[in-house]
Amino acid sequence: PEAATNPGPVSILKPVRGLDPGFYEAIRGHAQQHYAPGFELLFGVTDPQDPALVEIERLQREFPHLRIEWFPVTRQAPNGKVAALVELAKQARYPLWLVNDSDIAVSPGYLEEVTAPLSQPEIGVVTCLYRAGSQGAAGRWEALGIAVDFAAGVLVAPLAGIKEFGLGATLVFRAVDLAAIGGFEALENYLADDYQLARHITQLLGKRVELSRTVVETTLGEDSWRGIIKHQIRWARTIRVSRGDGYWGLPVTHAGVWMTMALLSGQFGVALTIATVRWASAYATGVLVLESRVARSGWWLAPVWDCFAFGIWVAGAMFNTVEWRGQRLELRPDGTMKPR
């Protein structure tokens, strides 16, 4: 029935900070959606001189029949992205809300596909995997890790009993459910707001997360080795304070480390077995599921990535500070943060 695939009109909420690579193509893809119940596209902009405003106004001219608006964000909070969402929530007209990063590129049927699961009342959040691309070597290396490591972890998370995951590439949920957990205001002090939104809805409301079959795309703007290492360490420390004890078990998944140890100890058969399983996992996730161009050419480097990821894990286990959006922040054990 129509109601099962189109549960209602959607407000797309997009905090914006700067001009990401491929920004216009990404937001244009959202405006081109053919979604019968209707949708609106709302942007939150902190800096009135933000270069993204020119592209947003260009989109308004190209799609005058759509409600496409931007709003100045004056609210202050440790998590500036969530502060923007608090402001955008006041402007949203529809019962379903979709939040994704400003550089996410989507397919023509995206809205219909990601909203359909919400026709089931027991589903509280829909999220998506994503594939990344980059023009430089450092960015492509990080994109490879997303394809052969991060995505694989998301796919097996439900099997390990992890039910509250949510990815910033796409979060779709009901406005009433968000209100029931305290609104976006309840997330303003967290760094991992995407994870916390899913966690709050699943734990407080007893609903579950649905991983959509839709895969979206992003272009990584950071193209220096120093930059991606800092990004990965920030990510690792965020996971540590968000997932608690689960962080300490992550090295079990770093198959390349165990393969190297087997080689150094002369256990060549064991090393080959580990490598074969790891290559199969990387190929299945990166090439077959994500259809990542980076993974298509580099899936065989997955054991090398694992060794890199283990080094990041060690760095992530130490200290409680991260750099994010030009701020130095201190992470607390409960996943909240404060400026340092």
Side-chain angles (χ1 to χ4, degrees), residues 113-160:
E113 292 164 353
V114 299
T115 57
L118 289 178
S119 61
Q120 304 173 54
E122 68 273 15
I123 294 177
V125 180
V126 182
T127 193
C128 287
L129 288 172
Y130 63 98
R131 54 179 168 259
S134 179
Q135 296 299 315
R140 287 197 298 271
W141 178 244
E142 186 169 33
L144 178 67
I146 290 169
V148 304
D149 183 15
F150 175 74
V154 173
L155 289 172
V156 302
L159 302 178

Side-chain angles (χ1 to χ4, degrees), residues 156-190:
V156 302
L159 302 178
I162 300 172
K163 302 177 181 179
E164 67 271 23
F165 61 89
L167 308 179
T170 294
L171 292 164
V172 192
F173 48 92
R174 301 174 189 85
V176 293
D177 287 343
L178 181 72
I181 66 166
F184 285 122
E185 291 88 342
L187 310 175
E188 283 187 311
N189 292 320
Y190 290 98

Side-chain angles (χ1 to χ4, degrees), residues 70-86:
W70 69 269
F71 300 92
V73 176
T74 58
R75 188 180 181 89
Q76 299 293 316
N79 189 320
K81 171 188 168 184
V82 179
L85 290 171
V86 171

Side-chain angles (χ1 to χ4, degrees), residues 28-316:
R28 188 174 188 272
H30 289 71
Q32 287 178 307
Q33 297 292 304
H34 297 289
Y35 183 68
F39 64 95
E40 60 185 1
L41 194 50
L42 310 179
F43 298 89
V45 182
T46 304
D47 181 2
Q49 304 301 317
D50 196 309
L53 281 174
V54 173
E55 301 300 284
I56 294 171
E57 290 167 356
R58 175 184 168 191
L59 192 72
Q60 290 173 322
R61 293 191 298 269
E62 186 174 354
F63 297 90
H65 60 287
L66 289 177
R67 186 193 181 203
I68 302 173
E69 295 191 51
W70 69 269
F71 300 92
V73 176
T74 58
R75 188 180 181 89
Q76 299 293 316
N79 189 320
K81 171 188 168 184
V82 179
L85 290 171
V86 171
E87 300 278 8
L88 290 175
K90 300 172 185 176
Q91 309 297 333
R93 297 175 178 174
Y94 295 138
L96 299 185
W97 290 359
L98 187 155
V99 176
N100 62 13
D101 296 332
S102 61
D103 59 349
I104 293 296
V106 301
S107 60
Y110 169 71
L111 268 186
E112 186 172 357
E113 292 164 353
V114 299
T115 57
L118 289 178
S119 61
Q120 304 173 54
E122 68 273 15
I123 294 177
V125 180
V126 182
T127 193
C128 287
L129 288 172
Y130 63 98
R131 54 179 168 259
S134 179
Q135 296 299 315
R140 287 197 298 271
W141 178 244
E142 186 169 33
L144 178 67
I146 290 169
V148 304
D149 183 15
F150 175 74
V154 173
L155 289 172
V156 302
L159 302 178
I162 300 172
K163 302 177 181 179
E164 67 271 23
F165 61 89
L167 308 179
T170 294
L171 292 164
V172 192
F173 48 92
R174 301 174 189 85
V176 293
D177 287 343
L178 181 72
I181 66 166
F184 285 122
E185 291 88 342
L187 310 175
E188 283 187 311
N189 292 320
Y190 290 98
L191 180 58
D193 53 273
D194 46 4
Y195 168 79
Q196 292 294 338
L197 187 147
R199 179 173 176 267
H200 279 61
I201 289 178
T202 55
Q203 293 192 358
L204 298 181
L205 305 185
K207 299 193 175 185
R208 65 181 178 88
V209 176
E210 177 79 3
L211 181 63
S212 174
R213 294 185 179 181
T214 298
V215 176
V216 297
E217 298 189 39
T218 185
T219 301
L220 301 178
E222 180 57 64
D223 195 31
S224 71
W225 290 103
R226 176 182 173 84
I228 68 159
I229 289 172
K230 287 174 64 176
H231 178 225
Q232 288 291 318
I233 291 174
R234 186 183 79 230
W235 204 347
R237 289 176 182 163
T238 303
I239 292 171
R240 193 189 85 217
V241 298
S242 298
R243 288 295 308 148
D245 292 343
Y247 183 81
W248 306 108
L250 284 176
V252 174
T253 67
H254 298 151
V257 175
W258 307 114
M259 182 195 76
T260 302
M261 292 177 66
L263 282 173
L264 293 175
S265 63
Q267 301 294 320
F268 301 112
V270 174
L272 180 59
T273 300
I274 295 173
T276 301
V277 172
R278 184 64 179 100
W279 284 328
S281 168
Y283 188 87
T285 304
V287 179
L288 300 182
V289 176
L290 293 191
E291 299 180 348
S292 163
R293 290 184 295 273
V294 175
R296 194 174 295 126
S297 60
W299 58 270
W300 55 276
L301 289 169
V304 182
W305 169 268
D306 291 343
C307 295
F308 171 81
F310 179 74
I312 295 295
W313 177 85
V314 172

